[in-house]
Protein backbone atom coordinates (compact mmCIF):
# COMPACT_ATOMS: atom_id res chain seq x y z
CA UNK A 1 0.00 0.00 0.00
CA UNK A 2 1.31 3.44 -0.93
CA UNK A 3 2.15 5.67 2.05
CA UNK A 4 2.90 9.26 1.01
CA UNK A 5 3.70 12.06 3.45
CA UNK A 6 0.81 13.14 5.65
CA UNK A 7 -0.73 16.62 5.62
CA UNK A 8 1.66 17.89 8.29
CA UNK A 9 4.74 16.95 6.30
CA UNK A 10 3.72 17.05 2.64
CA UNK A 11 5.01 20.24 1.03
CA UNK A 12 2.82 20.02 -2.06
CA UNK A 13 5.92 19.95 -4.27
CA UNK A 14 4.16 17.66 -6.79
CA UNK A 15 7.19 15.43 -7.40
CA UNK A 16 4.99 12.37 -6.84
CA UNK A 17 2.45 13.50 -9.43
CA UNK A 18 5.11 14.32 -12.01
CA UNK A 19 7.04 11.08 -11.55
CA UNK A 20 4.10 8.64 -11.62
CA UNK A 21 4.36 6.73 -14.93
CA UNK A 22 0.69 5.76 -14.79
CA UNK A 23 -0.71 9.24 -14.06
CA UNK A 24 -2.33 7.81 -10.95
CA UNK A 25 -1.65 10.85 -8.77
CA UNK A 26 -3.31 14.25 -8.95
CA UNK A 27 -2.86 17.29 -6.74
CA UNK A 28 -6.14 18.30 -5.12
CA UNK A 29 -6.87 21.15 -2.68
CA UNK A 30 -7.70 20.20 0.90
CA UNK A 31 -10.19 22.14 3.05
CA UNK A 32 -7.63 24.92 3.57
CA UNK A 33 -6.80 25.14 -0.13
CA UNK A 34 -3.38 23.47 0.03
CA UNK A 35 -2.65 21.00 -2.77
CA UNK A 36 -2.27 17.43 -1.56
CA UNK A 37 -1.57 14.26 -3.59
CA UNK A 38 -4.57 12.03 -4.24
CA UNK A 39 -4.05 8.50 -5.58
CA UNK A 40 -6.41 6.90 -8.10
CA UNK A 41 -6.48 3.29 -6.92
CA UNK A 42 -7.70 2.07 -10.29
CA UNK A 43 -4.61 3.44 -12.05
CA UNK A 44 -2.03 2.78 -9.33
CA UNK A 45 0.08 -0.39 -9.75
CA UNK A 46 1.95 0.17 -6.45
CA UNK A 47 5.37 0.57 -8.04
CA UNK A 48 6.26 2.85 -5.08
CA UNK A 49 8.18 5.25 -7.30
CA UNK A 50 6.24 8.15 -5.79
CA UNK A 51 7.45 7.22 -2.30
CA UNK A 52 11.05 6.88 -3.45
CA UNK A 53 11.03 10.34 -5.07
CA UNK A 54 9.18 12.15 -2.28
CA UNK A 55 11.61 14.62 -0.62
CA UNK A 56 9.51 14.65 2.55
CA UNK A 57 9.93 10.88 2.98
CA UNK A 58 13.40 10.60 1.45
CA UNK A 59 15.15 13.95 1.97
CA UNK A 60 17.48 15.23 -0.72
CA UNK A 61 21.15 14.83 0.13
CA UNK A 62 23.34 17.92 0.01
CA UNK A 63 27.04 17.70 -0.81
CA UNK A 64 28.27 19.66 2.20
CA UNK A 65 30.19 22.43 0.41
CA UNK A 66 31.15 25.45 2.51
CA UNK A 67 28.81 28.23 1.33
CA UNK A 68 29.85 31.81 0.64
CA UNK A 69 27.64 34.90 0.90
CA UNK A 70 27.60 37.72 -1.63
CA UNK A 71 25.87 41.09 -1.79
CA UNK A 72 24.58 41.53 -5.34
CA UNK A 73 23.20 44.57 -7.15
CA UNK A 74 22.03 43.99 -10.70
CA UNK A 75 22.58 47.41 -12.30
CA UNK A 76 20.30 46.73 -15.26
CA UNK A 77 17.31 45.30 -13.38
CA UNK A 78 17.52 46.79 -9.90
CA UNK A 79 14.84 49.40 -10.60
CA UNK A 80 12.32 46.79 -11.77
CA UNK A 81 12.98 44.26 -9.01
CA UNK A 82 11.75 43.86 -5.44
CA UNK A 83 15.33 43.59 -4.19
CA UNK A 84 18.75 43.78 -5.84
CA UNK A 85 17.71 41.93 -8.99
CA UNK A 86 19.65 38.68 -8.44
CA UNK A 87 16.95 36.52 -10.02
CA UNK A 88 16.91 38.71 -13.15
CA UNK A 89 20.70 38.46 -13.37
CA UNK A 90 20.60 34.65 -13.55
CA UNK A 91 17.57 34.73 -15.83
CA UNK A 92 19.21 37.07 -18.35
CA UNK A 93 22.34 34.94 -18.37
CA UNK A 94 20.41 31.75 -19.16
CA UNK A 95 18.10 33.39 -21.71
CA UNK A 96 21.04 35.02 -23.48
CA UNK A 97 22.48 31.53 -23.89
CA UNK A 98 19.32 30.22 -25.53
CA UNK A 99 18.06 28.60 -22.35
CA UNK A 100 14.76 28.46 -20.49
CA UNK A 101 13.72 30.05 -17.20
CA UNK A 102 11.05 28.45 -15.00
CA UNK A 103 9.48 30.39 -12.14
CA UNK A 104 6.28 31.62 -10.50
CA UNK A 105 3.93 33.90 -12.43
CA UNK A 106 0.36 35.16 -12.15
CA UNK A 107 -2.19 33.95 -14.67
CA UNK A 108 -5.07 36.15 -15.86
CA UNK A 109 -7.01 35.32 -12.67
CA UNK A 110 -4.07 36.17 -10.38
CA UNK A 111 -3.44 32.54 -9.58
CA UNK A 112 0.25 31.75 -9.04
CA UNK A 113 1.68 29.00 -11.20
CA UNK A 114 5.12 27.93 -12.39
CA UNK A 115 5.64 28.66 -16.07
CA UNK A 116 8.55 28.44 -18.51
CA UNK A 117 9.81 31.36 -20.60
CA UNK A 118 12.45 31.51 -23.33
CA UNK A 119 12.02 35.14 -24.43
CA UNK A 120 13.63 38.03 -22.51
CA UNK A 121 10.48 40.08 -23.16
CA UNK A 122 8.54 37.71 -20.89
CA UNK A 123 10.86 38.16 -17.92
CA UNK A 124 8.50 40.63 -16.23
CA UNK A 125 6.04 37.77 -15.71
CA UNK A 126 8.45 36.10 -13.30
CA UNK A 127 9.70 39.18 -11.46
CA UNK A 128 8.38 40.28 -8.10
CA UNK A 129 7.75 38.41 -4.85
CA UNK A 130 4.59 36.31 -4.67
CA UNK A 131 3.69 35.37 -1.11
CA UNK A 132 1.42 32.43 -1.95
CA UNK A 133 2.25 28.83 -2.81
CA UNK A 134 2.75 28.41 -6.52
CA UNK A 135 1.19 25.46 -8.35
CA UNK A 136 3.99 23.37 -9.91
CA UNK A 137 1.75 21.54 -12.38
CA UNK A 138 3.82 19.67 -14.96
CA UNK A 139 6.75 22.11 -14.84
CA UNK A 140 9.16 19.40 -13.59
CA UNK A 141 8.51 17.27 -16.64
CA UNK A 142 8.91 20.38 -18.82
CA UNK A 143 12.32 21.02 -17.23
CA UNK A 144 13.36 17.43 -17.98
CA UNK A 145 12.28 17.80 -21.60
CA UNK A 146 14.31 21.00 -22.02
CA UNK A 147 17.35 19.37 -20.41
CA UNK A 148 17.06 16.34 -22.66
CA UNK A 149 17.03 18.71 -25.63
CA UNK A 150 20.39 20.05 -24.45
CA UNK A 151 19.13 23.47 -23.33
CA UNK A 152 20.22 25.25 -20.18
CA UNK A 153 17.49 25.70 -17.58
CA UNK A 154 17.11 28.04 -14.62
CA UNK A 155 14.53 26.95 -12.05
CA UNK A 156 13.51 29.27 -9.21
CA UNK A 157 11.24 28.27 -6.34
CA UNK A 158 10.94 27.53 -2.66
CA UNK A 159 13.47 25.01 -1.29
CA UNK A 160 10.83 22.26 -1.15
CA UNK A 161 10.00 22.88 -4.83
CA UNK A 162 13.69 22.76 -5.78
CA UNK A 163 14.09 19.53 -3.79
CA UNK A 164 11.02 18.13 -5.54
CA UNK A 165 12.56 18.92 -8.93
CA UNK A 166 15.84 17.17 -8.08
CA UNK A 167 14.06 14.10 -6.68
CA UNK A 168 11.94 13.93 -9.83
CA UNK A 169 14.97 14.24 -12.14
CA UNK A 170 17.03 11.85 -9.98
CA UNK A 171 20.22 13.67 -11.04
CA UNK A 172 21.56 17.22 -10.78
CA UNK A 173 22.52 18.05 -14.38
CA UNK A 174 25.42 20.17 -13.09
CA UNK A 175 26.48 22.82 -15.60
CA UNK A 176 23.16 22.62 -17.45
CA UNK A 177 20.61 23.15 -14.68
CA UNK A 178 20.83 26.11 -12.27
CA UNK A 179 18.43 26.18 -9.34
CA UNK A 180 17.66 29.12 -7.10
CA UNK A 181 16.07 28.27 -3.76
CA UNK A 182 14.40 31.18 -1.98
CA UNK A 183 14.80 31.95 1.71
CA UNK A 184 11.18 31.15 2.45
CA UNK A 185 9.14 32.27 5.48
CA UNK A 186 6.32 29.83 4.69
CA UNK A 187 3.52 29.52 2.14
CA UNK A 188 -0.17 30.45 2.40
CA UNK A 189 -2.62 28.51 0.24
CA UNK A 190 -3.96 29.79 -3.09
CA UNK A 191 -7.47 29.62 -1.62
CA UNK A 192 -6.54 32.04 1.18
CA UNK A 193 -5.20 34.52 -1.37
CA UNK A 194 -8.23 34.05 -3.64
CA UNK A 195 -10.70 34.70 -0.80
CA UNK A 196 -8.65 37.68 0.36
CA UNK A 197 -8.89 39.28 -3.08
CA UNK A 198 -12.64 38.68 -3.13
CA UNK A 199 -13.02 40.43 0.23
CA UNK A 200 -10.77 43.26 -0.85
CA UNK A 201 -12.95 43.76 -3.89
CA UNK A 202 -16.08 43.93 -1.71
CA UNK A 203 -14.60 46.84 0.23
CA UNK A 204 -13.38 48.95 -2.68
CA UNK A 205 -15.54 47.79 -5.58
CA UNK A 206 -18.87 46.65 -4.08
CA UNK A 207 -20.75 47.51 -7.29
CA UNK A 208 -18.30 45.90 -9.69
CA UNK A 209 -14.82 46.34 -11.14
CA UNK A 210 -12.21 43.64 -11.37
CA UNK A 211 -8.80 43.48 -9.77
CA UNK A 212 -6.33 43.80 -12.62
CA UNK A 213 -3.12 43.52 -10.64
CA UNK A 214 -1.72 42.79 -7.21
CA UNK A 215 1.74 43.66 -5.99
CA UNK A 216 3.13 42.33 -2.73
CA UNK A 217 6.14 44.63 -2.85
CA UNK A 218 7.38 47.81 -4.46
CA UNK A 219 9.32 46.88 -7.60
CA UNK A 220 12.08 49.49 -7.46
CA UNK A 221 13.16 48.92 -3.87
CA UNK A 222 13.03 46.24 -1.21
CA UNK A 223 10.14 47.99 0.51
CA UNK A 224 7.22 45.72 1.40
CA UNK A 225 4.32 47.94 0.33
CA UNK A 226 1.39 45.79 -0.89
CA UNK A 227 -0.76 47.49 -3.52
CA UNK A 228 -3.77 46.63 -5.66
CA UNK A 229 -4.85 47.86 -9.08
CA UNK A 230 -8.50 47.86 -10.12
CA UNK A 231 -9.89 48.41 -13.59
CA UNK A 232 -9.00 51.87 -14.87
CA UNK A 233 -7.33 52.96 -11.65
CA UNK A 234 -3.83 53.56 -10.32
CA UNK A 235 -2.01 51.34 -7.86
CA UNK A 236 -3.51 51.73 -4.39
CA UNK A 237 -1.42 51.09 -1.27
CA UNK A 238 -3.06 48.65 1.15
CA UNK A 239 -3.21 49.48 4.85
CA UNK A 240 -5.07 48.45 7.99
CA UNK A 241 -7.74 45.76 7.30
CA UNK A 242 -7.02 45.93 3.57
CA UNK A 243 -3.55 44.57 4.32
CA UNK A 244 -4.81 41.71 6.50
CA UNK A 245 -3.33 39.05 4.20
CA UNK A 246 0.24 40.27 4.53
CA UNK A 247 -0.16 41.07 8.22
CA UNK A 248 -1.21 37.46 8.83
CA UNK A 249 1.54 36.19 6.52
CA UNK A 250 4.35 37.84 8.44
CA UNK A 251 3.02 36.41 11.69
CA UNK A 252 2.90 32.91 10.18
CA UNK A 253 -0.82 32.42 10.74
CA UNK A 254 -1.67 31.17 7.24
CA UNK A 255 1.22 28.84 6.42
CA UNK A 256 1.10 25.24 5.31
CA UNK A 257 1.53 22.90 8.29
CA UNK A 258 4.85 21.54 7.04
CA UNK A 259 6.34 25.05 7.16
CA UNK A 260 6.50 24.89 10.96
CA UNK A 261 8.85 21.89 10.84
CA UNK A 262 10.54 22.81 7.55
CA UNK A 263 13.62 20.68 6.85
CA UNK A 264 15.04 23.46 4.64
CA UNK A 265 15.07 26.32 7.17
CA UNK A 266 18.79 26.01 7.80
CA UNK A 267 22.09 26.24 5.91
CA UNK A 268 21.81 22.78 4.32
CA UNK A 269 20.60 24.41 1.12
CA UNK A 270 19.33 22.36 -1.81
CA UNK A 271 19.71 24.83 -4.69
CA UNK A 272 22.76 25.74 -6.73
CA UNK A 273 22.34 29.17 -5.17
CA UNK A 274 20.14 30.61 -2.45
CA UNK A 275 18.67 34.09 -2.99
CA UNK A 276 17.00 36.54 -0.64
CA UNK A 277 16.94 40.16 0.44
CA UNK A 278 20.18 41.04 2.21
CA UNK A 279 18.38 42.38 5.28
CA UNK A 280 20.63 44.29 7.67
CA UNK A 281 23.61 44.59 5.36
CA UNK A 282 26.16 47.05 6.70
CA UNK A 283 24.55 47.23 10.15
CA UNK A 284 26.24 44.28 11.85
CA UNK A 285 29.95 44.91 11.57
CA UNK A 286 31.47 45.48 8.16
CA UNK A 287 30.16 48.71 6.50
CA UNK A 288 28.50 48.57 3.10
CA UNK A 289 29.15 51.67 1.02
CA UNK A 290 26.60 51.15 -1.74
CA UNK A 291 23.13 52.71 -1.70
CA UNK A 292 20.74 50.20 -0.15
CA UNK A 293 17.47 52.07 -0.79
CA UNK A 294 16.69 50.23 -4.01
CA UNK A 295 17.49 46.87 -2.46
CA UNK A 296 20.43 44.52 -2.22
CA UNK A 297 20.22 40.82 -2.99
CA UNK A 298 21.83 38.11 -0.94
CA UNK A 299 23.25 35.25 -3.01
CA UNK A 300 24.58 32.25 -1.13
CA UNK A 301 26.88 30.19 -3.31
CA UNK A 302 26.25 26.58 -2.34
CA UNK A 303 28.49 25.04 -5.00
CA UNK A 304 31.53 27.31 -5.07
CA UNK A 305 31.20 28.63 -8.63
CA UNK A 306 29.12 31.82 -8.44
CA UNK A 307 31.66 34.26 -9.87
CA UNK A 308 32.56 31.87 -12.66
CA UNK A 309 28.88 31.31 -13.49
CA UNK A 310 28.09 35.03 -13.86
CA UNK A 311 31.35 35.91 -15.63
CA UNK A 312 29.52 36.80 -18.86
CA UNK A 313 27.34 39.30 -16.95
CA UNK A 314 30.05 40.78 -14.73
CA UNK A 315 29.80 44.27 -16.27
CA UNK A 316 26.10 44.43 -15.35
CA UNK A 317 26.44 43.60 -11.69
CA UNK A 318 28.08 44.75 -8.48
CA UNK A 319 29.26 41.80 -6.39
CA UNK A 320 30.87 41.90 -2.97
CA UNK A 321 31.64 38.92 -0.77
CA UNK A 322 30.27 39.39 2.75
CA UNK A 323 30.60 37.40 6.00
CA UNK A 324 28.19 34.49 6.09
CA UNK A 325 27.29 35.46 9.67
CA UNK A 326 25.99 38.82 8.41
CA UNK A 327 23.72 37.04 5.95
CA UNK A 328 22.29 34.92 8.75
CA UNK A 329 21.75 37.80 11.15
CA UNK A 330 18.35 39.05 9.91
CA UNK A 331 17.39 36.19 7.59
CA UNK A 332 15.94 34.12 10.41
CA UNK A 333 14.64 31.35 8.14
CA UNK A 334 18.22 30.42 7.32
CA UNK A 335 18.44 29.30 10.94
CA UNK A 336 15.06 27.87 11.93
CA UNK A 337 11.45 27.46 10.81
CA UNK A 338 8.72 29.85 11.89
CA UNK A 339 7.08 28.96 15.19
CA UNK A 340 3.46 27.82 14.96
CA UNK A 341 1.23 30.23 16.86
CA UNK A 342 -2.24 29.46 18.21
CA UNK A 343 -3.78 31.86 15.67
CA UNK A 344 -2.93 29.31 12.96
CA UNK A 345 -5.80 27.16 14.30
CA UNK A 346 -8.44 29.61 13.05
CA UNK A 347 -6.87 32.26 10.79
CA UNK A 348 -7.17 30.27 7.57
CA UNK A 349 -10.76 29.21 8.17
CA UNK A 350 -11.68 32.80 9.05
CA UNK A 351 -10.03 34.16 5.91
CA UNK A 352 -11.83 31.72 3.62
CA UNK A 353 -15.19 32.20 5.37
CA UNK A 354 -17.31 34.21 2.95
CA UNK A 355 -19.24 35.83 5.80
CA UNK A 356 -16.10 36.96 7.68
CA UNK A 357 -14.98 40.36 6.36
CA UNK A 358 -11.44 41.74 6.33
CA UNK A 359 -12.52 44.19 9.03
CA UNK A 360 -13.81 41.27 11.13
CA UNK A 361 -10.48 39.50 10.58
CA UNK A 362 -8.40 42.56 11.49
CA UNK A 363 -10.42 43.17 14.64
CA UNK A 364 -10.34 39.56 15.82
CA UNK A 365 -6.57 39.25 15.39
CA UNK A 366 -5.62 42.73 16.60
CA UNK A 367 -4.27 43.97 13.28
CA UNK A 368 -5.77 47.46 13.39
CA UNK A 369 -3.52 50.29 14.46
CA UNK A 370 -5.07 53.10 16.43
CA UNK A 371 -5.05 56.22 14.27
CA UNK A 372 -3.88 59.44 15.86
CA UNK A 373 -3.30 62.88 14.39
CA UNK A 374 0.42 62.07 14.27
CA UNK A 375 -0.10 58.73 12.50
CA UNK A 376 -2.49 60.29 9.97
CA UNK A 377 0.01 63.05 9.20
CA UNK A 378 2.79 60.49 8.85
CA UNK A 379 0.60 58.45 6.52
CA UNK A 380 -0.11 61.43 4.27
CA UNK A 381 3.57 62.42 4.19
CA UNK A 382 4.62 58.87 3.25
CA UNK A 383 1.96 58.69 0.52
CA UNK A 384 3.18 62.02 -0.86
CA UNK A 385 6.79 60.82 -0.82
CA UNK A 386 5.70 57.65 -2.61
CA UNK A 387 3.69 59.59 -5.23
CA UNK A 388 6.61 61.97 -5.93
CA UNK A 389 8.99 59.08 -6.53
CA UNK A 390 11.13 59.96 -3.52
CA UNK A 391 10.48 56.81 -1.53
CA UNK A 392 13.95 55.38 -2.08
CA UNK A 393 15.56 58.56 -0.72
CA UNK A 394 13.34 58.28 2.37
CA UNK A 395 14.15 54.56 2.68
CA UNK A 396 17.90 55.18 2.46
CA UNK A 397 17.83 57.79 5.21
CA UNK A 398 15.64 55.76 7.58
CA UNK A 399 17.69 52.59 6.97
CA UNK A 400 20.90 54.35 8.00
CA UNK A 401 19.27 55.76 11.13
CA UNK A 402 18.02 52.41 12.43
Amino acid sequence: MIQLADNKHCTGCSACMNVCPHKAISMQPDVEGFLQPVIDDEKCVECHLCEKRCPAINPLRTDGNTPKAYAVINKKDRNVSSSGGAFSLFARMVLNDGGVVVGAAYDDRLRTRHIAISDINDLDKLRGSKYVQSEIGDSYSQVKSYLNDGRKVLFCGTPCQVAGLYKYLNKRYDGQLITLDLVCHGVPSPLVFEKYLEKLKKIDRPKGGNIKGFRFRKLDSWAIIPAVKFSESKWRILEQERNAYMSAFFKGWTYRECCFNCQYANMNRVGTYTIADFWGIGKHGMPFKKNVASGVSLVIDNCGNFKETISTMINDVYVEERPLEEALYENHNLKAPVKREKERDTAISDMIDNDFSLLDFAKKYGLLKKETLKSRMKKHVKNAIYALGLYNVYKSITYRLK
Side-chain angles (χ1 to χ4, degrees), residues 128-187:
S129 302
K130 300 170 184 73
Y131 296 110
V132 59
Q133 187 163 37
S134 173
E135 183 178 341
I136 286 294
D138 64 351
S139 60
Y140 292 165
S141 56
Q142 289 183 48
V143 168
K144 186 175 183 179
S145 178
Y146 290 127
L147 292 170
N148 288 341
D149 287 342
R151 300 178 73 176
K152 285 189 176 181
V153 177
L154 172 69
F155 181 93
C156 182
T158 59
C160 54
Q161 291 173 334
V162 172
L165 172 63
Y166 279 129
K167 293 295 284 188
Y168 165 77
L169 294 173
N170 206 29
K171 60 184 291 189
R172 292 194 69 90
Y173 289 90
D174 289 332
Q176 190 182 358
L177 172 64
I178 297 173
T179 56
L180 305 179
D181 72 61
L182 307 170
V183 177
C184 176
H185 299 277
V187 289

Side-chain angles (χ1 to χ4, degrees), residues 168-238:
Y168 165 77
L169 294 173
N170 206 29
K171 60 184 291 189
R172 292 194 69 90
Y173 289 90
D174 289 332
Q176 190 182 358
L177 172 64
I178 297 173
T179 56
L180 305 179
D181 72 61
L182 307 170
V183 177
C184 176
H185 299 277
V187 289
S189 80
L191 180 61
V192 169
F193 185 54
E194 176 188 329
K195 292 297 184 180
Y196 165 68
L197 292 180
E198 289 177 5
K199 295 179 181 188
L200 191 61
K201 187 174 163 183
K202 285 182 181 179
I203 296 175
D204 292 313
R205 287 292 188 275
K207 295 182 180 180
N210 293 322
I211 295 177
K212 292 296 185 181
F214 191 90
R215 192 170 65 201
F216 286 103
R217 299 178 61 171
K218 197 169 182 281
L219 286 181
D220 60 353
S221 80
W222 58 8
I224 299 174
I225 305 177
V228 66
K229 182 178 175 62
F230 290 95
S231 305
E232 301 177 0
S233 68
K234 296 180 180 179
W235 286 99
R236 181 183 302 180
I237 297 174
L238 299 171

Side-chain angles (χ1 to χ4, degrees), residues 32 36 54 70 85 120 127 160 165 171 211 215 219 226 242 279 336 342 373 395 399:
E32 294 183 329
Q36 306 284 357
C54 171
Y70 294 91
I120 197 71
R127 286 193 179 109
C160 54
L165 172 63
K171 60 184 291 189
I211 295 177
R215 192 170 65 201
L219 286 181
R242 288 173 171 81
W279 299 121
K342 63 179 179 8
L373 177 60
K395 183 76 174 178
Y399 184 88

Side-chain angles (χ1 to χ4, degrees), residues 84-131:
F87 164 74
S88 295
L89 172 71
F90 286 105
R92 282 187 182 276
M93 180 186 66
V94 170
L95 293 172
N96 289 345
D97 202 23
V100 180
V101 178
V102 181
Y106 290 131
D107 66 12
D108 56 2
R109 292 173 56 188
L110 291 180
R111 294 174 300 189
T112 307
R113 296 179 173 180
H114 263 61
I115 66 168
I117 67 166
S118 56
D119 188 330
I120 197 71
N121 294 316
D122 291 327
L123 186 53
D124 277 349
K125 296 178 181 179
L126 305 184
R127 286 193 179 109
S129 302
K130 300 170 184 73
Y131 296 110

Side-chain angles (χ1 to χ4, degrees), residues 9 14 20 25 33 37 97 109 132 149 180 207 211 231 253 268 293 298 334 345 349:
H9 295 87
S14 302
C20 179
I25 300 176
D97 202 23
R109 292 173 56 188
V132 59
D149 287 342
L180 305 179
K207 295 182 180 180
I211 295 177
S231 305
W253 297 342
N268 295 318
L298 165 65
L334 285 172
D345 295 338
S349 58

Side-chain angles (χ1 to χ4, degrees), residues 23-77:
K23 306 298 180 186
I25 300 176
S26 60
M27 301 300 293
Q28 301 292 333
D30 62 18
V31 294
E32 294 183 329
F34 293 107
L35 294 180
Q36 306 284 357
V38 175
I39 299 174
D40 185 337
D41 292 332
E42 293 185 1
K43 294 181 179 179
C44 179
V45 299
E46 297 199 20
C47 66
H48 297 276
L49 185 59
C50 54
E51 295 174 335
K52 295 174 184 176
R53 300 294 180 83
C54 171
I57 298 174
N58 297 293
L60 187 72
R61 288 174 133 187
T62 55
D63 55 17
N65 284 344
T66 302
K68 292 183 178 181
Y70 294 91
V72 173
I73 297 174
N74 179 352
K75 301 171 189 176
K76 184 173 288 188
D77 298 293

